[in-house]
Amino acid sequence: MKNEVLRDVQRVVLTLDVNGEARELLVPVHKTLLEVLREDMQLTGTKHGCELGECGTCTVLVDGRPMLSCLALPVQLRGRAITTVEGLAGGSNLHPLQAAFAELGAAQCGYCTPGMLLAAKSLLDDNARPSREEIKEALAGNLCRCTGYAKILEAVELAAGRMT
Amino acid sequence: MKVVGRPLPRVDGATKVTGRAVYADDMLPARTLHCKILRSPHPHARIVSIDTSAARRVPGVLAVITGADLPIKFGILPVTQDERALEHEKARYVGDPIAAVAATEEEIAAAACDAIVVEYEVLEPVMSIEAALDAPKDERIQEYGGPNNVHKLVALEFGDVDGGFARAEHVREDVFFYQGNTHLPMEQHSAVATYVDGRVTLWSSTQVVHYVHRALSKVLELPMHRIRVIGAAHGGGFGGKTDPFAHEIIVAKLAMLTGRPVKCTLTREEVFYAHRGRHPVLMWVRTGVTGDGRITAMHFRSALDGGAYGSYGVASTFYTGALQTVTYDIPAYRFEGCRVFTNKPPCGPKRGHGTPQPRFALELHLEKIARDLDLDPVEMKRRNFVKPDTRTVNWLRVTSCGLDECADKVLAASRFRERKRTPGHGMGFAISTYLSGAGTAIYWNDMPHSEVQIKVDRGGVTAYCGAMEIGQGSDSVLATIVAEELGLQPSDVRLVTADTDTTPIDLGSYSSRVTFMAGNAALEAARKMRALLVEAVEASGRKYEEVAFEEAAVLGEARFGALTTAGSYTPPKIAGPYKGSGVGPSPAYSFSACVVDLDADPRTGLVNVNKVWIAHDVGRAINPLSVEGQVEGSVYMGLGEALMEEQVFRKGLHKWPSMLEYKSPTFLDMPEVETFIVETNDPEGPYGAKEAGQGPLLPVPPAVCAAVFDALGVWIDEIPVTPEKVVEALRRREKGEPPRYGPPRFPSIPYPPAIKVEPPPRDAAAAAR
Amino acid sequence: MLRLPRVRYLQPKAAREAAAMAAEHGARAMFVAGGTDLLPKLKRRQFEVDTLIGLDFLPRSVRNGSVDCVIDAGVTLSVASRDPHLRDSFAGYAEAAGLVSSPPLRNAGTIGGNLCVDTRCNYYDMTHEWRKAAGFCLKKDGDICLVAPSSPRCWAVSSSDTAPMAIALEGVVSLTGPDGERELPVEALYRDDGIDYMAKQPAEVVTSLRLRAAPNLRTAYVKLRRRGSIDFPIAGAAVAAWLDGDTVTRCRVALSAVASHPLEARAAGAFLAGRKLDRETVREAAELAAKPAKPLDNADLGHFWRKRMVRVVVEEALGRISDQTGGFGG
Ligand SMILES: Cc1cc2nc3c(=O)[nH]c(=O)nc-3n(C[C@H](O)[C@H](O)[C@H](O)COP(=O)(O)OP(=O)(O)OC[C@H]3O[C@@H](n4cnc5c(N)ncnc54)[C@H](O)[C@@H]3O)c2cc1C
Ligand code: SF4
Ligand code: FES
Ligand code: FES
């Protein structure tokens, strides 16, 4: 531990495609996507609850699929499309999932919400009218301590209904 | 009512779904330093020396502090000021903060912590209630309290308990254990401090800016007006962010020393050490009943494993004995409580503070009594339900009470009585109650518990309140009340909350007090504002309802100058005439009833909950969506506690401080919940409202255990109900032993002689006084 | 925030190059594929490496021949779990891949990484600070086993969901080392040792897994864990049975999370050969399968209960094969 910080940091220049914008960054290779999004790109909408892959809070989309940003290395993500919660809304119009979450109170403390929204978006992009079981399966990697998941389930159904 | 009672979206909804809400860890002011805390690796040890010289030499380190820099003790309760931000004399649990570093990068701060050399003299750890009751091998954990490692002993007796038992036709004793568990908010605690122009500003994920403010002032030796505490967007509390914490004080101190912003975000493991979660409680209960199941007397004993510090523990201890009487009419009641210190992270308030444990014991105990007497447990419980507008034997004033209606709702919807009796399938019923805010403050004072100011200008309205939105929806409640009175929509109301510089006091988001107390304060302020506006509009010859708000505001400002009003709320003085009566009284109680339907596999012991029906008397739902959300969230947490969550220790340290091993139910583990909102229009609540955030958790664990008994015929008298306990209970039954898994006995505890308290008059009219 | 140690990241273009890099750096370097096992462990400082060798060049396709199916090591668990061919011909394998942890994790975790996943122990899969407080153990930084202090070896648990299934299916892995390629039956990849749990050379890259289909082959994987998602197995049974009508001609049963390697229950497999999968036979086979399982007190829930559950998961898996459905969800 003590001596780790005496090691040199290897930095690479990377172009990351985040929310449709290409951003060129100088990234230490040992920084995770979570850290780079939050600390180097000020995209703090992506939250974290464990940094060990155990809670799903840090979920973002990579090429449309939910991934845990705390376990992703930006050096491995060149050329892949990354979507964070900041990229969900179209301009000032909320994405139907965001609108449904806001309307039904599916975000209480809101801390799990960005990850939930992105996991749900990926689901609906694949499967426009998922069953309740399919919604539960798709969101099963995202823990929430506030809602008991009930309002989240309803919100995803509501958004799915509106989007089709 | 235009907005009260409507399922409107929360006022903070859009901010939260877009990721724009700024939580403390999202802040990164220019030149921010990162703080890491070195923690004790020993559960119990004297600190012989701390050498920070190597840490100071790590490039990038700007400051290193130890307990010598912050020697003043603090604590949430005035009677237990026993914590230090950093300990330099003694470590009392694995995770106790010892030293802190501020550095330019978090990894540098961590490496510097690793370079600090601490010499310890290791002491024998005390890891259980039983061990804490014995004489310490080396030395006590804390220097104060009762004998050995006892922290607090209480004994109270209301009415003629011996007489009540003598009168009983049946008497039963049971022992129960409720394992400790933790809040596990998704957001890890975080705080950022700055020090500018001789003033400290702290942003924190706290539930109570006011108590953090007081603790900072005390430990930093700064007057309160030179400290500003702001509640950042809050990622979940459940009681876990209700104490002032070491890291909050540490970042403030480091900011003062370095002149730069300092941030500390706990790791998940550190959150487990900060804890203040559910006390593990061992309970013994003895009840006398008549042949038809009417309670004649009850004697309840509790032993709480408090962990290493006081925290809210004195209050928690009283709470384990306080609310039994609020659901059941108990004519004579003796309560003996005990809290011990152990070398574990301190326990404190978690959703339901001190009351889910006794509720669990009480509900199952009554189930067993009913079966002894061949009575229907539900009927027997109902026979003993309290009535509205009464005083309990321990002087708690019950006003609105929808217990019967709650029970009716869940029993009917679940078809509880018509249930098919198939082995492996079971249903269980339980009820509960909770406070709508504690009737007394944490520290003695005569000031209001909540204050709201309203300002109207330029056609807009702003409400200021110290209350902290922690996800429960308190901002929306305030906005809704102000909007209702002024004829607006909640989204029209600007809010400034939880900022000790700009908002008046509110004691914070704990004990389910915000809707009731801040709500009443908001109501008063809003009504005063409305009166001003009405007067101004009517002076112009029109009616308030006929003019646009913008115009009313202009008329008002023209007539009265700056338009501000204020309201405040102080709970009625209703505590009983005895020492310890401050814990339990509340201006109103919520009530819940719950039915759980589950399958339990006799071969594996695995329990699968199919559905939960829950009815909650919230008085009046100011926003039914938010109430449902609170009820569903409570059921979730109750199921987690009942089936999997446990804060356990091995070899002196937390067995698994991680989100993987501390089991919190996932989407797939959560059954369908059917919620019924019962409205009883409380006479003192704002628009009749009472609490919803904690009470509905309480009936869930006992209902689960009652359902397991229904399914398999074995009692699991200990939470959580793990499959191994079920299998073991079944094995015991097969061997002809009592069909039960639970604590075998209650230890012998040196309770003092009970203070005898004369019960209040039993008639309703007198009780109302 | 838990962070990774400062490491260097090497980006080989092919397996041979990766293997050469690994050989050159020795124990200071590790391969990283999806990173879902490695990165949490690095954050907890369970490995002391200063170099990561990226395997993101690994191909990511499932190639179906008429008999053999070759799954590239870079295929993610979620792709494997949804692949129509795998679901059809090797249902148990697809099931096992789909039961690993949680959906977002499966989008990153690879099948190659899942075969090589580190053994687990709840005295070991902890942060550096926690382990320092508890006392370090044999597997990392210490000199005794905290679970079995009198034992000279480490009993960390093999916790891969797909490895037992790959063994039951008699799968074969392709390895590329610095000097060339070779094939190995999956079972030969492992050693019964919590520390040196892989029998391959450290510098060898797993490049693919080959499974052989048969018209009369049936498979099932049953996983026991506390929650419906996220959790590692606390017991798992993988069964592959080759049938002739309703008679078993050959059967292999392998268990997860009950030993330091995926444990093959040979006696159970042998017992089933030539029998019909009726209730009684299934019960007896499960009994036999459970015998060699030796869970210790280093995973979730008690080891007595876990031992008892081995029988249950095997029965359940065999039951599924004989189409006797049971209700034993995660
Ligand atoms: C919270 C959590 C839950 C989990 N639950 C499960 C579970 O239920 N079941 C389960 O099986 N696993 C589980 N895992 C472990 C892990 O995520 C999976 O095993 C995953 O498949 C690993 O694949 P990966 O590509 O991410 O491997 P990596 O993390 O990249 O690598 C894992 C190990 O394999 C080596 N390696 C990877 N690929 C190769 C290769 N091609 N050739 C040679 N060596 C290689 C690496 O050097 C490393 O030692 C869990 C992990 C977490 C964090
Ligand atoms: S089994 Fe023993 S040696 Fe192996 S990781 Fe666990 S405690 Fe360490
Ligand atoms: S932060 Fe918990 S999974 Fe990434
Ligand atoms: S809304 Fe608070 S954790 Fe999900």
Side-chain angles (χ1 to χ4, degrees):
Chain A
M1 291 279 282
K2 264 174 280 200
N3 302 327
E4 276 169 15
V5 291
L6 302 177
R7 290 185 207 152
D8 288 340
V9 176
Q10 181 194 355
R11 292 187 171 80
V12 289
V13 176
L14 277 183
T15 305
L16 288 184
D17 168 1
V18 180
N19 300 327
E21 286 171 34
R23 280 274 297 271
E24 191 173 276
L25 297 158
L26 181 64
V27 180
V29 293
H30 69 290
K31 271 191 132 180
T32 59
L33 177 61
L34 172 71
E35 293 157 56
V36 170
L37 288 171
R38 288 178 55 82
E39 295 165 4
D40 298 307
M41 304 180 77
Q42 285 77 48
L43 292 171
T44 52
T46 303
K47 307 298 182 210
H48 56 108
C50 70
E51 304 98 63
L52 294 170
E54 303 172 351
C55 73
T57 311
C58 65
T59 302
V60 298
L61 300 184
V62 176
D63 293 340
R65 301 242 168 259
M67 292 254 246
L68 302 171
S69 63
C70 70
L71 301 185
L73 294 174
V75 274
Q76 298 191 332
L77 297 172
R78 286 191 178 96
R80 308 195 49 193
I82 298 161
T83 310
T84 69
V85 69
E86 288 90 347
L88 257 187
S92 18
N93 297 323
L94 296 183
H95 184 278
L97 275 163
Q98 290 175 307
F101 270 59
E103 253 171 77
L104 296 184
Q108 286 190 16
C109 79
Y111 209 74
C112 68
T113 308
M116 286 283 182
L117 283 168
L118 292 163
K121 176 180 190 308
S122 173
L123 169 71
L124 297 190
D125 287 348
D126 271 6
N127 178 356
R129 296 309 292 262
S131 66
R132 293 208 138 194
E133 274 320 301
E134 287 169 330
I135 297 173
K136 289 180 169 191
E137 283 283 344
L139 302 184
N142 296 74
L143 291 177
C144 171
R145 289 291 284 176
C146 295
T147 62
Y149 307 107
K151 292 278 177 281
I152 296 176
L153 189 66
E154 288 171 33
V156 176
E157 284 188 321
L158 178 65
R162 287 178 179 167
M163 286 165 74
T164 47
Chain B
M1 296 272 138
K2 289 224 173 61
V3 291
V4 164
R6 311 255 318 266
L8 296 173
R10 297 161 58 122
V11 294
D12 54 359
T15 320
K16 284 177 174 167
V17 299
T18 49
R20 273 187 283 119
V22 181
Y23 299 80
D25 189 52
D26 299 340
M27 299 180 61
L28 199 66
R31 305 178 73 236
T32 296
L33 298 175
H34 299 268
C35 162
K36 275 278 174 198
I37 298 170
L38 175 74
R39 293 171 184 272
S40 170
H42 301 293
H44 198 188
R46 292 227 142 254
I47 297 165
V48 179
S49 66
I50 307 177
D51 179 357
T52 60
S53 53
R56 289 173 199 278
R57 285 195 300 270
V58 175
V61 170
L62 277 95
V64 183
I65 55 173
T66 65
D69 300 292
L70 290 166
I72 298 175
K73 291 189 173 180
F74 66 98
I76 184 70
L77 300 186
V79 291
T80 51
Q81 300 283 302
D82 59 0
E83 294 183 55
R84 284 199 178 103
L86 295 167
E87 251 317 321
H88 58 301
E89 291 175 349
K90 177 161 155 169
R92 296 180 176 84
Y93 65 96
V94 172
D96 218 354
I98 307 293
V101 176
T104 50
E105 303 278 343
E106 193 174 11
E107 56 179 356
I108 294 175
C113 280
D114 207 41
I116 296 171
V117 182
V118 185
E119 193 189 328
Y120 295 96
E121 178 194 331
V122 173
L123 303 170
E124 181 76 17
V126 178
M127 297 304 291
S128 68
I129 293 171
E130 287 75 12
L133 292 168
D134 286 347
K137 292 224 173 60
D138 288 331
E139 61 179 48
R140 302 174 57 113
I141 297 167
Q142 292 283 359
E143 278 148 26
Y144 69 98
N148 300 330
N149 276 302
V150 169
H151 169 201
K152 179 78 185 169
L153 291 167
V154 299
L156 295 167
E157 184 167 329
F158 307 91
D160 179 11
V161 175
D162 292 337
F165 278 118
R167 209 153 53 77
E169 287 162 85
H170 176 63
V171 174
R172 182 184 172 99
E173 286 177 22
D174 283 300
V175 185
F176 298 94
F177 180 62
Y178 199 111
Q179 181 57 281
N181 50 55
T182 199
H183 319 82
L184 203 81
M186 292 311 295
E187 178 204 27
Q188 302 158 113
H189 306 44
S190 179
V192 181
T194 61
Y195 186 65
V196 178
D197 298 339
R199 288 173 49 104
V200 168
T201 303
L202 180 88
W203 289 264
S204 182
S205 57
T206 178
Q207 295 178 234
V208 276
V209 290
H210 178 60
Y211 296 149
V212 175
H213 197 192
R214 281 169 56 88
L216 283 179
S217 169
K218 181 180 182 196
V219 181
L220 300 176
E221 297 180 280
L222 281 179
M224 285 175 83
H225 65 84
R226 281 182 55 200
I227 302 171
R228 177 179 186 183
V229 182
I230 303 173
H234 199 277
F238 317 111
K241 296 172 181 168
T242 319
D243 288 58
F245 283 100
H247 67 277
E248 294 170 319
I249 297 166
I250 289 167
V251 288
K253 180 72 184 181
L254 288 169
M256 290 171 73
L257 288 174
T258 60
R260 289 173 65 167
V262 180
K263 170 154 107 180
C264 180
T265 301
L266 302 188
T267 62
R268 181 52 63 184
E269 180 172 340
E270 291 179 297
V271 172
F272 279 95
Y273 298 148
H275 192 45
R276 320 287 156 152
R278 184 88 70 227
H279 284 78
V281 185
L282 196 54
M283 293 161 285
W284 173 91
V285 53
R286 179 165 189 256
T287 302
V289 290
T290 61
D292 63 351
R294 290 200 162 264
I295 298 169
T296 60
M298 181 180 290
H299 183 179
F300 197 97
R301 286 181 174 147
S302 64
L304 294 79
D305 180 344
Y309 293 92
S311 182
Y312 282 80
V314 172
S316 318
T317 309
F318 278 105
Y319 272 128
T320 62
L323 302 190
Q324 281 84 333
T325 56
V326 178
T327 52
Y328 298 112
D329 180 8
I330 302 169
Y333 178 55
R334 184 185 297 136
F335 165 60
E336 294 169 305
C338 165
R339 184 179 193 258
V340 298
F341 289 121
T342 53
N343 292 109
K344 305 179 190 174
C347 297
K350 182 184 173 194
R351 215 168 194 170
H353 190 189
T355 69
Q357 302 97 324
R359 178 56 52 187
F360 169 71
L362 179 59
E363 293 295 308
L364 289 181
H365 176 62
L366 294 182
E367 286 271 337
K368 295 183 187 201
I369 290 177
R371 289 188 160 83
D372 291 346
L373 297 175
D374 236 353
L375 297 173
D376 173 29
V378 174
E379 270 327 299
M380 193 196 93
K381 285 181 180 180
R382 293 191 82 141
R383 223 164 269 166
N384 289 288
F385 276 4
V386 292
K387 298 281 172 294
D389 301 312
T390 48
R391 278 242 186 198
T392 69
V393 72
N394 55 342
W395 288 82
L396 303 181
R397 188 196 70 170
V398 178
T399 51
S400 64
C401 168
L403 207 41
D404 261 312
E405 199 184 337
C406 287
D408 286 342
K409 283 269 195 293
V410 293
L411 292 168
S414 64
R415 304 172 64 85
F416 184 80
R417 294 179 194 292
E418 296 99 78
R419 70 189 186 278
K420 293 203 188 56
R421 314 300 297 266
T422 44
H425 172 256
M427 288 175 91
F429 167 85
I431 59 148
S432 68
T433 183
Y434 198 66
L435 331 168
S436 300
T440 46
I442 296 288
Y443 66 101
W444 180 248
N445 73 84
D446 276 328
M447 292 182 288
H449 288 208
S450 191
E451 298 173 0
V452 169
Q453 294 163 349
I454 295 179
K455 169 186 81 127
V456 168
D457 67 356
R458 285 156 283 184
V461 53
T462 310
Y464 300 83
C465 180
M468 179 68 212
E469 167 69 61
I470 59 168
Q472 86 280 46
S474 71
D475 278 2
S476 299
V477 164
L478 291 174
T480 304
I481 290 174
V482 173
E484 181 66 48
E485 291 304 314
L486 299 183
L488 298 168
Q489 287 298 309
S491 53
D492 296 331
V493 178
R494 282 193 298 260
L495 290 174
V496 179
T497 55
D499 177 338
T500 60
D501 258 17
T502 58
T503 67
I505 193 165
D506 176 87
L507 293 183
S509 288
Y510 67 99
S511 101
S512 278
R513 48 176 299 293
V514 178
T515 294
F516 205 95
M517 301 197 182
N520 268 323
L523 193 57
E524 185 187 335
R527 286 188 172 153
K528 285 183 184 164
M529 180 57 75
R530 184 188 167 96
L532 292 176
L533 296 174
V534 166
E535 188 185 326
V537 172
E538 287 179 355
S540 77
R542 281 176 298 166
K543 285 216 161 63
Y544 181 70
E545 288 74 15
E546 290 162 6
V547 304
F549 184 76
E550 289 75 4
E551 197 185 341
V554 169
L555 292 170
E557 222 174 314
R559 185 175 178 90
F560 299 109
L563 282 176
T564 58
T565 57
S568 58
Y569 180 78
T570 311
K573 301 250 175 304
I574 48 174
Y578 61 93
K579 190 162 180 286
S581 70
V583 175
S586 172
Y589 297 92
S590 73
F591 294 90
S592 326
C594 159
V595 168
V596 167
D597 177 297
L598 54 75
D599 289 312
D601 184 339
R603 201 157 68 124
T604 62
L606 289 165
V607 169
N608 183 48
V609 177
N610 302 311
K611 185 160 178 182
V612 176
W613 293 262
I614 183 142
H616 183 69
D617 165 19
V618 67
R620 172 76 179 266
I622 290 181
N623 182 332
L625 271 182
S626 289
V627 172
E628 280 170 27
Q630 288 303 301
V631 173
E632 290 155 358
S634 296
V635 170
Y636 166 84
M637 209 163 261
L639 285 174
E641 297 190 11
L643 296 170
M644 51 180 89
E645 295 184 35
E646 47 183 332
Q647 171 112 331
V648 282
F649 294 80
R650 182 172 63 182
K651 300 187 195 226
L653 72 165
H654 196 299
K655 190 172 174 187
W656 39 43
S658 77
M659 293 206 110
L660 177 63
E661 298 297 344
Y662 180 92
K663 303 296 179 189
S664 168
T666 72
F667 226 120
L668 290 167
D669 304 300
M670 193 56 194
E672 187 191 340
V673 177
E674 194 172 332
T675 303
F676 301 90
I677 296 178
V678 168
E679 300 200 311
T680 49
N681 277 313
D682 186 78
E684 288 176 39
Y687 304 108
K690 302 191 284 191
E691 78 90 33
Q694 310 195 61
L697 180 150
L698 280 78
V700 176
V704 164
C705 288
V708 168
F709 181 80
D710 195 41
L712 299 176
V714 293
W715 291 112
I716 309 300
D717 292 339
E718 180 179 314
I719 284 297
V721 182
T722 59
E724 0 185 43
K725 292 178 188 170
V726 175
V727 166
E728 175 59 17
L730 286 165
R731 191 192 62 83
R732 289 179 189 170
R733 188 182 61 179
E734 251 163 58
K735 282 180 53 192
E737 295 169 23
R740 166 180 188 267
Y741 187 96
R745 69 192 75 79
F746 191 82
S748 145
I749 291 178
Y751 295 114
I755 298 171
K756 294 218 165 36
V757 181
E758 195 58 37
R762 277 181 72 78
D763 68 286
R769 283 196 288 273
Chain C
M1 167 126 57
L2 283 175
R3 292 169 197 267
L4 291 169
R6 290 181 181 181
V7 286
R8 296 176 54 74
Y9 184 84
L10 305 180
Q11 302 181 61
K13 303 253 168 339
R16 193 44 116 34
E17 190 190 349
M21 285 173 172
E24 184 195 328
H25 287 82
R28 307 296 304 168
M30 283 178 91
F31 296 128
V32 57
T36 60
D37 184 49
L38 184 64
L39 300 190
K41 295 199 179 216
L42 277 178
K43 288 185 181 182
R44 293 188 296 245
R45 304 303 191 261
Q46 289 167 259
F47 303 120
E48 253 161 88
V49 296
D50 53 25
T51 305
L52 297 183
I53 303 169
L55 297 184
D56 48 347
F57 61 82
L58 285 171
R60 295 169 169 248
S61 54
V62 180
R63 284 168 277 136
N64 309 307
S66 52
V67 206
D68 281 351
C69 174
V70 179
I71 314 168
D72 287 330
V75 167
T76 62
L77 294 160
S78 58
V79 167
S81 69
R82 284 196 292 252
D83 184 86
H85 182 75
L86 290 178
R87 288 177 72 131
D88 215 42
S89 306
F90 312 99
Y93 183 82
E95 240 172 306
L99 285 170
V100 171
S101 195
S102 71
L105 187 135
R106 292 196 293 273
N107 284 331
T110 63
I111 67 117
N114 198 252
L115 288 172
C116 302
V117 65
D118 189 16
T119 53
R120 297 184 59 81
C121 167
N122 63 22
Y123 285 93
Y124 161 70
D125 287 296
M126 293 290 178
T127 63
H128 180 79
E129 287 75 19
W130 189 96
R131 284 182 288 124
K132 196 159 144 190
F136 294 110
C137 77
L138 270 181
K139 189 159 158 84
K140 179 81 179 81
D141 301 325
D143 46 19
I144 60 160
C145 171
L146 297 172
V147 187
S150 56
S151 151
R153 61 163 283 189
C154 162
W155 296 92
V157 184
S158 165
S159 303
S160 166
D161 280 306
T162 66
M165 200 63 238
I167 290 173
L169 278 164
E170 302 180 339
V172 173
V173 288
S174 300
L175 301 172
T176 298
D179 313 314
E181 295 171 20
R182 61 173 179 144
E183 288 198 331
L184 212 59
V186 177
E187 62 196 86
L189 258 185
Y190 304 103
R191 253 206 291 263
D192 183 12
D193 182 336
I195 297 171
D196 284 320
Y197 63 96
M198 303 252 14
K200 73 171 183 66
Q201 294 306 311
E204 281 178 315
V205 181
V206 175
T207 55
S208 64
L209 167 67
R210 181 157 50 81
L211 303 176
R212 175 153 296 184
N216 54 353
L217 169 65
R218 301 238 208 120
T219 57
Y221 180 70
V222 171
K223 170 175 180 170
L224 177 70
R225 55 176 160 183
R226 225 113 46 133
R227 296 177 292 180
S229 179
I230 304 176
D231 292 343
F232 279 91
I234 46 181
V239 178
W242 289 261
L243 303 177
D244 179 6
D246 53 4
T247 304
V248 175
T249 54
R250 197 149 59 85
C251 181
R252 296 191 69 167
V253 180
L255 307 174
S256 56
V258 294
S260 292
H261 59 134
L263 184 67
E264 184 167 4
R266 289 223 166 72
F271 168 81
L272 285 167
R275 293 176 201 255
K276 289 190 178 26
L277 288 176
D278 55 48
R279 244 171 222 290
E280 196 44 36
T281 310
V282 165
R283 230 183 38 73
E284 271 182 62
E287 204 68 50
L288 285 171
K291 274 218 178 98
K294 248 206 262 122
L296 290 178
D297 191 16
N298 59 355
D300 186 28
L301 292 170
H303 52 299
F304 287 116
W305 183 79
R306 278 183 2 248
K307 167 97 186 171
R308 181 189 169 109
M309 293 308 293
V310 175
R311 236 174 26 220
V312 177
V313 286
V314 174
E315 247 182 84
E316 177 81 15
L318 288 169
R320 258 192 225 166
I321 287 202
S322 71
D323 287 326
Q324 299 161 10
T325 43
F328 188 69

